[in-house]
Amino acid sequence: MKFVTTNEGKVEEAREYLAELTTVEQFDYDYVEIQSDSLADIAAYGAEAAFEAAGGEEPVIVDDSGLFIGGFDGFPGPYSAYVQDTLGVQQVWALVKTLDDRRAAFRGCVAYTDGETTETFEGSVQGELVAPRGTGGFGYDPIFEHAGETFAEMSTEKKNALSHRGRALAKLADWLADRDQ
Ligand code: IMP
């Protein structure tokens, strides 16, 4: 199948979960994201559009994710990339540190389509926002702490094993394995 993304790291992560079930090739394409509060709607719509753009034959997956801050009613959620590009992680932290409750979650949705069937798989991981620490990862990783470490302080393997995307990919792997039995 093709993973429609401009991020090669996500493709490598998907290969780890799907290796025994299918090959995963990157289709480096920036699909148009609809505006919605639902990651599943954004990912499903993106997968169907990307399926056509990728030639309309091989199954595709896309993934949509975001940081949901409890004290801000889930903001920035589906708008996380935009907020990262505009405010940036330091300013998000400056806003969050005014909150007493700094709990947050990364949520992700992987959508699969083969042109006939479209399925979505969601994953999430809970954490707490902290002053930036660590140099690994990307996006909000330096301010997202889970079990005492920020995602930017963890090895890629450790982060992938507990990340929202890893959990969604594991569900996709189970579904593919059941379907192909
Ligand atoms: P997208 O799903 O790749 O468009 O990701 C949306 C945005 O959510 C990214 O630009 C990041 O700001 C944030 N994000 C998603 N997943 C992660 C993660 O694993 N670590 C840090 N930030 C993330």
Side-chain angles (χ1 to χ4, degrees):
M1 69 173 62
K2 293 180 180 166
F3 194 158
V4 185
T5 177
T6 55
N7 182 334
E8 208 184 319
K10 288 187 183 178
V11 183
E12 274 155 29
E13 199 176 340
R15 284 193 185 120
E16 284 174 30
Y17 284 89
L18 304 175
E20 288 174 13
L21 299 160
T22 178
T23 57
V24 182
E25 277 168 58
Q26 181 176 10
F27 181 56
D28 192 348
Y29 174 73
D30 205 2
Y31 62 92
V32 176
E33 284 188 17
I34 59 161
Q35 211 169 53
S36 166
D37 291 349
S38 157
L39 294 178
D41 287 353
I42 298 168
Y45 188 93
E48 285 167 7
F51 176 77
E52 297 302 330
E57 284 182 9
E58 228 184 298
V60 301
I61 55 174
V62 306
D63 130 291
D64 195 54
S65 50
L67 178 71
F68 292 71
I69 301 172
F72 292 154
D73 284 341
F75 172 88
Y79 309 103
S80 294
Y82 176 72
V83 169
Q84 190 194 317
D85 290 346
T86 50
L87 288 183
V89 173
Q90 292 286 351
Q91 285 202 72
V92 171
W93 167 243
L95 295 171
V96 166
K97 75 178 177 192
T98 64
L99 298 172
D100 292 330
D101 178 0
R102 297 173 184 168
R103 282 176 295 179
F106 275 124
R107 296 210 177 109
C109 180
V110 172
Y112 163 98
T113 190
D114 57 13
E116 286 182 4
T117 307
T118 302
E119 292 281 336
T120 56
F121 306 89
E122 298 193 34
S124 69
V125 56
Q126 305 289 329
E128 183 163 334
L129 298 178
V130 295
R133 297 197 319 260
T135 53
F138 72 100
Y140 300 97
D141 282 346
I143 61 169
F144 188 84
E145 187 184 73
H146 177 89
E149 270 182 305
T150 68
F151 269 9
E153 291 175 314
M154 291 179 189
S155 65
T156 309
E157 293 71 31
K158 188 167 179 185
K159 180 191 159 185
N160 290 354
L162 48 83
S163 79
H164 48 306
R165 197 164 16 260
R167 289 172 181 177
L169 286 166
K171 288 185 188 169
L172 167 65
D174 286 348
W175 181 79
L176 287 172
D178 282 352
R179 190 198 61 173
D180 296 343
Q181 243 174 19

